[in-house]
Amino acid sequence: MRYALSLYISTLLVSASALAEGLPENIQVHGFVSQSAAWTNHNQVGGNQPGKVGTDLHEIGGNLSWRPDADWLVSGQLLSRLAGASDNGNVRVDYAFVDHTLLEFEGQRVGVRVGKIKIPFGFYNTTRDVAHTRPGVIPPQSIYYDQLRSSFLAAPGMAVYGDGEMTSGGLHWQVSIIRPEINDRNLTILMVDQQPGHFNGLPSILGQAIYDFDGGRWRTGLTMSNMKMQYQPGVGDFLHAGHITLNTGVLSLERNSEEWTHTVEYALTHQIRNGFNVPFAPILDMGTTIEAAYFQTQWRFVQQWQALARFDMLYLNSRDRNGLQFAAATGMPAAQRYARDWTLGLRFDPSKDWSLFAEWHRVSGAAWLSKLDNPPAALATPWNMLLLQAAWRF
Amino acid sequence: MPRQITRNRPLQLIYGIVLALSPLAADTAEVIVHREVSTATLTVSMARAMFGMRQNKWPDGTPLKVFVLPDAHPLHKALCREVLDVFPYQLRQSWDRQVYSGTGQAPTELTSEEQMISQVSATPGAIGYVKKASNSDAVRIVPVH
């Protein structure tokens, strides 16, 4: 059924791409499809069993944008994402907003966006589900942590933004006030384990500035966010209506040359928790600092081909990097508190619309694996993963 | 010094011939606009904002229409290298980020220089590019400093 549905949506997209040619010039239609296969020797990704291949991994999206005049832009995108047990492939609104340019002069502009907006976070977040815009099959999980994606992906709210090109470089910034849509089982399990309740987003604020030097040969970025959520206890829940605040800072740096792109991103998330009030699980009200970083090199060694090397690390408690204190306090495996991932990858772009990826991961720890696919007691470390992906876009 | 020049002359001659014959030399890009666009010159920053799809209109309010050639086209590479001073893949990444996050639209991609001239000449507010010394009265050349 899942495959019939994805085939049907993909066929619709192909028809839309044919229609795109004949649209009025102020309306554009674009879309993307990706299908991946995952093999692991331990743990589960994309619905596989260890030692076997899983293919429950796709991303299908289509968008429409309309510029009724120079100062207005209306745009929306639908997305279906299948990712093992953690995302079921249902079609949902990825974004839908109105953009109004308030002032514009000589390479500068300032505007507002209102509606369900994508959230700028690090270099890749706004288009993290579009294969062509990613450095590899999956974005570096330390910073683009899929289990937390619902809180950072897109949310109803408004944003003020600016783009300025100057002789010295280009500055792109956005400040957003949003209410995250986080009624998501992945996030609930990540935050409070297997409890019947769910989280609701509270008004949150997020800002990003990216500065490009020397025609983009250097790109630097700073993202700061203050995301708030409240727990809504379920029936028979022993947790109270606790609050979690995530204060995050991300530093981003990229060096571009004709053949090479080197990227480093570093993030600290201070997690403040209170109000869960469970006497036998005081850990639920203990704050931690999540530390995340990756170093990545992309090499365009011949036309249409690209190689990738990356080291990615995530520590859910920067003071307990190997999870041993956590394991001692809870009796749960230490591996769910950290992940160190070495990645080698290859990308081939046979045409502008098609990309093929292959990627090998050697991971110790399992902090970023979905707990819906991998009950903590069953986690194994270290583990290997091979990912293959074919992607098309228009 | 004069002796040195004399000594290097054969080498310069060979270099000149190679340059003249190489396809790269033929593709020196020049920015063109629709004849009714009132802007006389552009700064590199303005040209980057326009071809980067981060500018919606001309200073006189006319909506901006951006035309480009495919990423691998020698003339597109020449525009990126000589006029904008960016790598073509960066321009593509910038367009993709906007198109798939809803914050902007893609430029219109054409296949040839002839098509570029005919589209830019027929579309009010259009900007594009041609080979240097292309002779066409249908469009206006705008120097970028």
Side-chain angles (χ1 to χ4, degrees), chain A residues 193-349:
Chain A
D193 208 16
Q194 295 280 1
Q195 304 302 334
H198 67 267
F199 280 92
N200 289 318
L202 298 174
S204 301
I205 186 161
L206 190 137
Q208 183 185 66
I210 289 190
Y211 190 71
D212 301 340
F213 296 86
D214 194 12
R217 281 170 185 79
W218 288 97
R219 293 177 72 216
T220 56
L222 175 67
T223 309
M224 304 285 284
S225 72
N226 171 257
M227 310 288 264
K228 292 180 179 158
M229 57 187 92
Q230 183 172 28
Y231 186 67
Q232 175 76 48
V235 178
D237 208 329
F238 58 81
L239 265 59
H240 292 85
H243 281 83
I244 298 179
T245 302
L246 301 175
N247 290 323
T248 305
V250 189
L251 278 171
S252 310
L253 178 66
E254 189 175 275
R255 168 73 183 155
N256 288 295
S257 66
E258 190 129 22
E259 288 183 6
W260 297 88
T261 296
H262 308 292
T263 313
V264 182
E265 294 198 284
Y266 180 80
L268 282 178
T269 301
H270 188 50
Q271 190 185 177
I272 303 164
R273 308 169 69 115
N274 52 52
F276 290 100
N277 297 334
V278 181
F280 56 88
I283 197 165
L284 287 168
D285 283 323
M286 284 179 194
T288 59
T289 299
I290 303 172
E291 188 178 18
Y294 72 89
F295 309 83
Q296 173 182 281
T297 287
Q298 292 159 273
W299 178 30
R300 292 168 283 278
F301 55 98
V302 284
Q303 214 171 1
Q304 300 177 305
W305 286 86
Q306 202 177 109
L308 166 79
R310 179 164 71 213
F311 175 64
D312 181 51
M313 58 189 197
L314 171 64
Y315 301 111
L316 295 190
N317 183 352
S318 62
R319 294 188 176 171
D320 180 25
R321 285 184 158 196
N322 289 316
L324 297 175
Q325 291 169 23
F326 173 83
T330 64
M332 312 253 276
Q336 66 172 306
R337 303 293 287 175
Y338 69 94
R340 288 182 285 272
D341 176 3
W342 290 92
T343 304
L344 285 175
L346 207 54
R347 171 178 178 166
F348 173 51
D349 297 321

Side-chain angles (χ1 to χ4, degrees), chain A residues 146-165:
Chain A
D146 275 341
Q147 307 323 308
L148 261 179
R149 56 180 265 125
S150 58
S151 62
F152 285 105
L153 190 63
M158 71 168 291
V160 182
Y161 71 92
D163 294 301
E165 286 290 344

Side-chain angles (χ1 to χ4, degrees), chain B residues 118-135:
Chain B
S118 75
Q119 286 289 324
V120 172
S121 65
T123 314
I127 188 168
Y129 46 91
V130 289
K131 246 179 251 166
K132 211 163 210 164
S134 292
N135 218 348

Side-chain angles (χ1 to χ4, degrees), chain A residues 25-28 30-32 63 65-67 70-71 73 75 77 95 97 99 101 104-109 113 118 123 126-127 130 132-133 163 165-167 169 172 214-217 219 254 256-258 260-261 300 303 352 393-394, chain B residues 43-50 52-59 61-65 67 70-73 77 80-81 84-90 92-94 96-109 119 123-124:
Chain A
E25 59 180 20
N26 58 353
I27 296 179
Q28 289 191 2
H30 297 274
F32 54 93
N63 69 51
S65 64
W66 173 45
R67 197 178 272 295
D71 293 333
L73 179 68
S75 53
Q77 179 161 281
Y95 60 77
F97 61 87
D99 179 323
T101 308
E104 182 174 324
F105 57 96
E106 303 210 341
Q108 320 286 317
R109 69 173 178 184
R113 298 181 174 129
K118 292 295 262 189
F123 282 141
T126 55
T127 58
V130 187
H132 283 80
T133 68
D163 294 301
E165 286 290 344
M166 296 145 280
T167 318
H172 312 289
D214 194 12
R217 281 170 185 79
R219 293 177 72 216
E254 189 175 275
N256 288 295
S257 66
E258 190 129 22
W260 297 88
T261 296
R300 292 168 283 278
Q303 214 171 1
K352 191 187 84 180
R393 57 101 173 258
F394 70 92
Chain B
T43 60
V44 175
S45 320
M46 279 174 78
R48 263 187 208 152
M50 287 175 169
M53 302 303 284
R54 295 185 192 277
Q55 197 82 150
N56 314 332
K57 59 190 179 191
W58 291 95
T62 311
L64 177 70
K65 299 281 175 203
F67 292 95
D71 293 7
H73 195 288
K77 289 183 178 172
C80 291
R81 190 180 57 237
L84 305 179
D85 192 26
V86 299
F87 300 113
Y89 73 86
Q90 289 178 291
R92 172 62 60 188
Q93 283 172 354
S94 166
D96 283 349
R97 275 196 292 269
Q98 294 177 74
V99 162
Y100 296 105
S101 66
T103 54
Q105 290 190 317
T108 304
E109 194 173 304
Q119 286 289 324
T123 314

Side-chain angles (χ1 to χ4, degrees), chain A residues 346-361:
Chain A
L346 207 54
R347 171 178 178 166
F348 173 51
D349 297 321
S351 70
K352 191 187 84 180
D353 312 328
W354 281 94
S355 284
L356 304 170
F357 298 82
E359 205 165 279
W360 178 261
H361 293 252

Side-chain angles (χ1 to χ4, degrees), chain B:
Chain B
M1 280 305 278
R3 264 184 64 204
Q4 216 171 9
I5 288 172
T6 316
R7 199 168 58 201
N8 285 340
R9 193 168 282 163
L11 199 64
Q12 286 173 344
L13 194 66
I14 293 167
Y15 185 60
I17 292 168
V18 168
L19 259 186
L21 294 176
S22 109
L24 278 178
D27 291 312
T28 306
E30 207 157 40
V31 172
I32 55 166
V33 296
H34 185 264
R35 289 203 70 82
E36 284 167 21
V37 166
S38 56
T39 303
T41 61
L42 286 174
T43 60
V44 175
S45 320
M46 279 174 78
R48 263 187 208 152
M50 287 175 169
F51 284 103
M53 302 303 284
R54 295 185 192 277
Q55 197 82 150
N56 314 332
K57 59 190 179 191
W58 291 95
D60 67 2
T62 311
L64 177 70
K65 299 281 175 203
V66 182
F67 292 95
V68 296
L69 293 169
D71 293 7
H73 195 288
L75 200 49
H76 181 72
K77 289 183 178 172
L79 174 91
C80 291
R81 190 180 57 237
E82 293 158 14
V83 180
L84 305 179
D85 192 26
V86 299
F87 300 113
Y89 73 86
Q90 289 178 291
L91 215 45
R92 172 62 60 188
Q93 283 172 354
S94 166
W95 300 335
D96 283 349
R97 275 196 292 269
Q98 294 177 74
V99 162
Y100 296 105
S101 66
T103 54
Q105 290 190 317
T108 304
E109 194 173 304
L110 307 171
T111 50
S112 68
E113 202 185 342
E114 295 70 42
Q115 218 184 357
M116 179 70 88
I117 292 171
S118 75
Q119 286 289 324
V120 172
S121 65
T123 314
I127 188 168
Y129 46 91
V130 289
K131 246 179 251 166
K132 211 163 210 164
S134 292
N135 218 348
S136 174
D137 295 335
V139 293
R140 197 158 57 74
I141 289 164
V142 172
V144 180
H145 305 292

